[in-house]
Amino acid sequence: MRRIVGSIFTISLIMLLFVPGCKDSQSSAETGFELSTTNCVAIGIHVHIDDEYQGLASAEQPQFFALPAGTYHLYARSNASTSVVIDPLCWSMEISISDGNITEVVLDCTNTIPCED
C-alpha cells in the first residue's frame, strides 16, 4: 500500500512540474477616460456622458470612467462655486475613446462655459 501511495504522490509531483497551467498571458486593457482638473480648488464635479449621470469626481485627484470605444458628449458641472465666480463651473466637449486605450480629459477651471439650467 505504501508503494502505491508513494507512486501516486511521485507521479502527481512530476505532473505538476511538467504540465503547463493556466497563465494570464492575455490581459484586457482598460477602455475609457480619466478625468483630471487644472487650476481648480477642492470641488466636486458631476459628470454626465450623453446626458447620463456617471458620478461625482473630485477636482483633487484623477478619476477613471470605464466606457466602450466611441465618441461621447461630456458635460460636467461643479457642485460649488469659487470665490471669483459665483455660478457653478461647467464644461461641455466631445471626447473620443479608442478600444484598449484610456483617453485623458483635463478640465481647466479658468476655461468654463455658462452652465445650462
Side-chain angles (χ1 to χ4, degrees), residues 57-107:
S58 171
E60 295 180 303
Q61 62 187 12
Q63 182 164 342
F64 176 74
F65 291 89
L67 286 173
T71 301
Y72 300 93
H73 178 77
L74 173 121
Y75 177 75
R77 180 183 181 116
S78 70
N79 67 349
S81 58
T82 64
S83 60
V84 178
V85 180
I86 297 172
D87 295 326
L89 305 172
C90 291
W91 301 265
S92 180
M93 65 186 71
E94 296 292 318
I95 58 171
S96 294
I97 299 171
S98 301
D99 192 30
N101 292 320
I102 297 175
T103 301
E104 292 186 29
V105 176
V106 180
L107 303 179

Side-chain angles (χ1 to χ4, degrees), residues 26-85:
Q26 294 180 343
S27 62
S28 61
E30 291 184 317
T31 302
F33 73 97
E34 184 173 82
L35 183 72
S36 61
T37 62
T38 185
N39 301 318
C40 292
V41 295
I43 57 173
I45 299 169
H46 296 282
V47 179
H48 300 262
I49 297 293
D50 291 341
D51 295 326
E52 288 187 32
Y53 183 69
Q54 300 296 311
L56 182 67
S58 171
E60 295 180 303
Q61 62 187 12
Q63 182 164 342
F64 176 74
F65 291 89
L67 286 173
T71 301
Y72 300 93
H73 178 77
L74 173 121
Y75 177 75
R77 180 183 181 116
S78 70
N79 67 349
S81 58
T82 64
S83 60
V84 178
V85 180

